[in-house]
Every structure is written in structure tokens, then in C-alpha cells.
Amino acid sequence: MSGVTALRAALHQALVADAPLIAALGGARIHDVPPPSPDFPYVTLGEAQVLDWSTATERGEEHRLTLNVWSRQGGHGEALNLAALVQEALHDAALPLAEGRLVNLRATGAEIRREAGGRTYRAVLRFRAVTESN
């Protein structure tokens, strides 16, 4: 399992274990790939960029991650609330990884926007993580 795969699995596990988030979503609607007709609201694990973060003695990676919150509740309110819950669940979380060690995980930004068609709102959440190899 690569470092980014282990990190994404840990993120997914942390989100499905977060009771306030799951209650607000109406169930464990956290997807790597959403189903063809998903129930709203839901969260998807988005893009990942992996950069070398190695030192002279340790191997490491910097991960720039995107998570998306999808809502069809009128207005930005539900997307904003869910985005805050996702950030609270993950920011500075000490997540166990199946491979390697998480050094840190930080929320770095968010934007909320209405998608084309005007019916769906999306919160784009950005995180930065640093991992070290075993």
C-alpha cells in the first residue's frame, strides 16, 4: 500500500467514525467514488498531490489533499456546516496509518460554491499532510 493510499484510507475511516458528521449527513455517506445516484448530502475524497519530503536520513512525503462536500439543501448553509464538521474531524488529527506514520494533518483552506445548474452546492476543502515511511 502506498503512503497516499494509506492516508486516504485513514481519512475515510476517521470521517465515518465521526458521529457529529455522520448524523449531519444522515448516514455514512463518505465516498472515494460516489455511487451513480448518491443520496445528498455526501462527502467525496478528491484529488491528491504527493511531493517528496525526504531528509538526508528519513523518507517522507507531503500530501496536498482535496475533499468535497456536496449538498442540495437550498443555499450555502448546509455545505458550510458540513465543511466545518469535516475540518473539525481531520484538522490536527493523529490518524493511524496502515503504512508509515502521519507527522501532521492540517486544514489549509476551503471554498463553497454553487455548481452549474444552481441546484448543487460544493465545499472544496484542502488539507496538507506530512507522512514518514516506517
Side-chain angles (χ1 to χ4, degrees), residues 33-56:
V33 177
S37 298
D39 291 326
F40 283 84
Y42 65 96
V43 176
T44 56
L45 303 179
E47 296 79 24
Q49 180 182 23
V50 182
L51 305 166
D52 184 35
W53 192 255
S54 299
T55 67

Side-chain angles (χ1 to χ4, degrees), residues 7 53 58-63 92-97 99-106 128-133:
L7 179 58
W53 192 255
E58 303 289 330
R59 288 186 43 215
E61 296 175 331
E62 175 185 0
H63 306 263
D92 279 337
L95 306 179
L97 302 181
E99 180 180 304
R101 182 179 80 80
L102 179 62
V103 176
N104 67 27
L105 174 61
R106 309 277 302 176
R128 178 186 177 270
V130 175
T131 59
E132 292 178 340
S133 297

Side-chain angles (χ1 to χ4, degrees), residues 5-43:
T5 303
L7 179 58
R8 288 173 68 91
L11 292 172
H12 185 273
Q13 186 60 33
L15 293 175
V16 299
D18 188 80
L21 175 61
I22 297 308
L25 288 170
R29 297 179 187 155
I30 315 293
H31 307 288
D32 193 6
V33 177
S37 298
D39 291 326
F40 283 84
Y42 65 96
V43 176

Side-chain angles (χ1 to χ4, degrees), residues 111-131:
E111 72 180 79
I112 289 58
R113 60 178 161 228
R114 184 174 30 203
E115 293 295 297
R119 184 172 174 210
T120 304
Y121 288 82
R122 178 168 56 141
V124 179
L125 308 173
R126 291 183 182 82
F127 290 85
R128 178 186 177 270
V130 175
T131 59

Side-chain angles (χ1 to χ4, degrees), residues 61-117:
E61 296 175 331
E62 175 185 0
H63 306 263
R64 296 179 188 170
L65 307 161
T66 303
L67 281 77
N68 299 285
V69 173
W70 302 88
S71 169
R72 285 202 172 152
Q73 189 76 5
H76 289 81
E78 183 178 58
L80 286 167
N81 179 54
L82 291 168
L85 289 170
V86 170
Q87 287 178 322
E88 188 174 313
L90 298 178
H91 184 77
D92 279 337
L95 306 179
L97 302 181
E99 180 180 304
R101 182 179 80 80
L102 179 62
V103 176
N104 67 27
L105 174 61
R106 309 277 302 176
T108 61
E111 72 180 79
I112 289 58
R113 60 178 161 228
R114 184 174 30 203
E115 293 295 297

